[in-house]
Amino acid sequence: MTDRDIPALDAAGLRRFALTTAAIVAALFGLLLPWLGGFGWPLWPWALAAVLALWGLIRPAGLRPVYRGWMRFGLLASRITTPLILGLVFFLLFVPMGLVMRLAGHDPMRRKLDPQAATYRVPSRPLPRRSVEKPY
């Protein structure tokens, strides 16, 4: 994770970053989560969103350190969550499916050794001519 992985933004890009982040903070932490959780309506998301939006509108170049820190956090989070989610998918989906298939005796790749077989090659079936002339 280096600074080369973080794209450099001009003033317009930093302004978009500030306004987008402000909108997400206000919508997620100011509206959605309090509504779903039945909490009170906090003021801090609205204050943070207002500060970000004003900062982005008045002096977007000053947001460069905030942007770089946020992007570094995103890169770090992706290095943690991606292997975690893929590992969960593998162990919760594919491993049980493979065990059930193995217990049922199903071998879709036909990997069992057959000493009587002269070859393991499965000839492909020829395609009709119309599938090449009009593929769709």
Side-chain angles (χ1 to χ4, degrees), residues 6-86:
I6 301 172
L9 293 182
D10 58 350
L14 289 168
R15 185 175 297 115
R16 277 192 310 273
F17 163 74
L19 294 175
T20 304
T21 305
I24 290 172
V25 165
L28 185 65
F29 295 107
L31 294 174
L32 186 64
L33 289 179
W35 179 66
L36 289 176
F39 309 121
W41 300 97
L43 293 178
W44 69 266
W46 299 100
L48 179 62
V51 167
L52 271 173
L54 287 174
W55 196 357
L57 291 172
I58 295 170
R59 191 163 183 272
L63 279 171
R64 190 162 278 119
V66 175
Y67 167 73
R68 295 186 78 70
W70 183 251
M71 294 303 287
R72 281 190 183 120
F73 170 73
L75 288 171
L76 178 66
S78 73
R79 286 189 166 199
I80 294 169
T81 58
T82 301
L84 184 68
I85 291 171
L86 289 177

